[in-house]
mmCIF file with all atom_site columns, all heavy atoms in Angstrom:
data_model
loop_
_atom_site.group_PDB
_atom_site.id
_atom_site.type_symbol
_atom_site.label_atom_id
_atom_site.label_alt_id
_atom_site.label_comp_id
_atom_site.label_asym_id
_atom_site.label_entity_id
_atom_site.label_seq_id
_atom_site.pdbx_PDB_ins_code
_atom_site.Cartn_x
_atom_site.Cartn_y
_atom_site.Cartn_z
_atom_site.occupancy
_atom_site.B_iso_or_equiv
_atom_site.pdbx_formal_charge
_atom_site.auth_seq_id
_atom_site.auth_comp_id
_atom_site.auth_asym_id
_atom_site.auth_atom_id
_atom_site.pdbx_PDB_model_num
ATOM 1  N N   . SER F 1 113 ? -1.256 -10.660 -6.573 1.00 0.00 ? 238 SER F N   1
ATOM 2  C CA  . SER F 1 113 ? -0.631 -11.947 -6.218 1.00 0.00 ? 238 SER F CA  1
ATOM 3  C C   . SER F 1 113 ? 0.890  -11.810 -6.123 1.00 0.00 ? 238 SER F C   1
ATOM 4  O O   . SER F 1 113 ? 1.571  -12.734 -5.698 1.00 0.00 ? 238 SER F O   1
ATOM 5  C CB  . SER F 1 113 ? -0.997 -13.026 -7.245 1.00 0.00 ? 238 SER F CB  1
ATOM 6  O OG  . SER F 1 113 ? -0.324 -12.811 -8.477 1.00 0.00 ? 238 SER F OG  1
ATOM 7  N N   . VAL F 1 114 ? 1.425  -10.637 -6.521 1.00 0.00 ? 239 VAL F N   1
ATOM 8  C CA  . VAL F 1 114 ? 2.866  -10.407 -6.414 1.00 0.00 ? 239 VAL F CA  1
ATOM 9  C C   . VAL F 1 114 ? 3.202  -10.043 -4.966 1.00 0.00 ? 239 VAL F C   1
ATOM 10 O O   . VAL F 1 114 ? 2.536  -9.181  -4.374 1.00 0.00 ? 239 VAL F O   1
ATOM 11 C CB  . VAL F 1 114 ? 3.318  -9.269  -7.357 1.00 0.00 ? 239 VAL F CB  1
ATOM 12 C CG1 . VAL F 1 114 ? 4.815  -8.982  -7.196 1.00 0.00 ? 239 VAL F CG1 1
ATOM 13 C CG2 . VAL F 1 114 ? 2.984  -9.610  -8.804 1.00 0.00 ? 239 VAL F CG2 1
ATOM 14 N N   . PHE F 1 115 ? 4.221  -10.674 -4.404 1.00 0.00 ? 240 PHE F N   1
ATOM 15 C CA  . PHE F 1 115 ? 4.675  -10.382 -3.041 1.00 0.00 ? 240 PHE F CA  1
ATOM 16 C C   . PHE F 1 115 ? 4.938  -8.878  -2.921 1.00 0.00 ? 240 PHE F C   1
ATOM 17 O O   . PHE F 1 115 ? 5.644  -8.295  -3.742 1.00 0.00 ? 240 PHE F O   1
ATOM 18 C CB  . PHE F 1 115 ? 5.953  -11.191 -2.783 1.00 0.00 ? 240 PHE F CB  1
ATOM 19 C CG  . PHE F 1 115 ? 6.581  -10.990 -1.426 1.00 0.00 ? 240 PHE F CG  1
ATOM 20 C CD1 . PHE F 1 115 ? 5.807  -10.829 -0.278 1.00 0.00 ? 240 PHE F CD1 1
ATOM 21 C CD2 . PHE F 1 115 ? 7.958  -11.009 -1.296 1.00 0.00 ? 240 PHE F CD2 1
ATOM 22 C CE1 . PHE F 1 115 ? 6.401  -10.674 0.960  1.00 0.00 ? 240 PHE F CE1 1
ATOM 23 C CE2 . PHE F 1 115 ? 8.573  -10.857 -0.061 1.00 0.00 ? 240 PHE F CE2 1
ATOM 24 C CZ  . PHE F 1 115 ? 7.780  -10.684 1.073  1.00 0.00 ? 240 PHE F CZ  1
ATOM 25 N N   . GLY F 1 116 ? 4.348  -8.247  -1.909 1.00 0.00 ? 241 GLY F N   1
ATOM 26 C CA  . GLY F 1 116 ? 4.575  -6.821  -1.687 1.00 0.00 ? 241 GLY F CA  1
ATOM 27 C C   . GLY F 1 116 ? 3.610  -5.905  -2.423 1.00 0.00 ? 241 GLY F C   1
ATOM 28 O O   . GLY F 1 116 ? 3.680  -4.694  -2.281 1.00 0.00 ? 241 GLY F O   1
ATOM 29 N N   . VAL F 1 117 ? 2.726  -6.481  -3.228 1.00 0.00 ? 242 VAL F N   1
ATOM 30 C CA  . VAL F 1 117 ? 1.772  -5.660  -3.976 1.00 0.00 ? 242 VAL F CA  1
ATOM 31 C C   . VAL F 1 117 ? 0.383  -5.780  -3.361 1.00 0.00 ? 242 VAL F C   1
ATOM 32 O O   . VAL F 1 117 ? -0.162 -6.877  -3.267 1.00 0.00 ? 242 VAL F O   1
ATOM 33 C CB  . VAL F 1 117 ? 1.726  -6.065  -5.468 1.00 0.00 ? 242 VAL F CB  1
ATOM 34 C CG1 . VAL F 1 117 ? 0.636  -5.303  -6.210 1.00 0.00 ? 242 VAL F CG1 1
ATOM 35 C CG2 . VAL F 1 117 ? 3.076  -5.819  -6.117 1.00 0.00 ? 242 VAL F CG2 1
#
Side-chain angles (χ1 to χ4, degrees):
S238 72
V239 177
F240 179 38
V242 174

